[in-house]
């Protein structure tokens, strides 16, 4: 069986595309699971702080103030997770490069995109709990135990 350089190159390219798609799928599932975790944490936070939310609304806080508070918390949580993920990814990449003599490259564009995605996940998955907190009735929230 004879193979040309073009066939070998095409095979390597298709293998690379398959691995890229597989890694992209794994990353998508990870983002979804992380986002659901953020939403769960924020919903628990809203439930535990219902009385605090009621007090803030009773003394004059508007719904948008409560909404922005919980959105900022969700974004902070997700960006801190994103920073930890970026730092651990760079560290593992450098460790593999030094131990296995594999060439690795971490582009600044990919770091920025990863950071922005982590913030976007915080906004997307934090909006529902923040909206739920902003829609609380102050009287019912003050009665909540």
């Amino acid at each position: 069986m004879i193979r040309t350089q073009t066939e070998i190159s095409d095979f390597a390219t298709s293998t690379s595309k398959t691995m890229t798609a597989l890694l992209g799928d794994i990353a998508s599932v990870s983002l979804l699971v992380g986002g659901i975790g953020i939403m769960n944490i924020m919903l628990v936070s809203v439930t535990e702080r219902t009385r605090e939310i009621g007090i803030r609304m009773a003394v004059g806080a508007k719904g948008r103030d409560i909404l922005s508070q919980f959105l900022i918390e969700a974004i902070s949580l997700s960006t801190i997770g994103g920073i930890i993920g970026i730092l651990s990814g760079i560290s593992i990449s450098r460790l593999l490069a030094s131990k296995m003599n594999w060439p690795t490259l971490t582009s600044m564009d990919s770091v920025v995109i990863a950071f922005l995605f982590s913030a976007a996940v915080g906004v997307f998955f934090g909006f529902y709990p923040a909206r739920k907190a902003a829609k609380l009735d102050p009287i019912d929230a003050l009665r909540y135990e």
Side-chain angles (χ1 to χ4, degrees):
M1 185 180 256
I2 299 172
R3 297 194 189 262
T4 64
Q5 290 288 0
T6 306
E7 288 175 348
I8 294 170
S9 174
D10 290 344
F11 179 73
T13 301
S14 70
T15 303
S16 176
K17 286 181 181 178
T18 302
M19 291 301 289
T20 301
L22 181 64
L23 288 173
D25 291 344
I26 291 170
S28 299
V29 170
S30 297
L31 278 173
L32 180 67
V33 169
I36 291 170
I38 288 171
M39 187 184 319
N40 190 20
I41 289 168
M42 294 308 296
L43 283 170
V44 168
S45 178
V46 167
T47 302
E48 288 179 351
R49 295 164 60 190
T50 299
R51 194 162 172 83
E52 171 195 332
I53 295 165
I55 292 169
R56 288 193 63 209
M57 291 179 111
V59 296
K62 304 255 188 285
R64 68 176 179 266
D65 299 326
I66 305 296
L67 181 80
S68 63
Q69 173 190 350
F70 281 94
L71 269 179
I72 288 169
E73 287 180 22
I75 293 168
S76 299
L77 188 63
S78 65
T79 53
I80 288 170
I83 290 169
I84 291 170
I86 289 168
L87 293 176
S88 63
I90 291 171
S91 300
I92 290 170
S93 173
R94 288 188 178 167
L95 181 69
L96 283 176
S98 67
K99 297 292 182 190
M100 306 289 267
N101 292 325
W102 289 350
T104 59
L105 174 67
T106 306
S107 69
M108 197 61 186
D109 291 343
S110 63
V111 171
V112 170
I113 289 170
F115 182 78
L116 292 176
F117 258 95
S118 68
V121 165
V123 170
F124 184 77
F125 286 98
F127 185 76
Y128 173 72
R131 195 170 131 250
K132 183 178 177 185
K135 296 281 185 188
L136 284 175
D137 182 34
I139 295 170
D140 291 336
L142 287 170
R143 281 190 208 140
Y144 184 80
E145 283 296 323

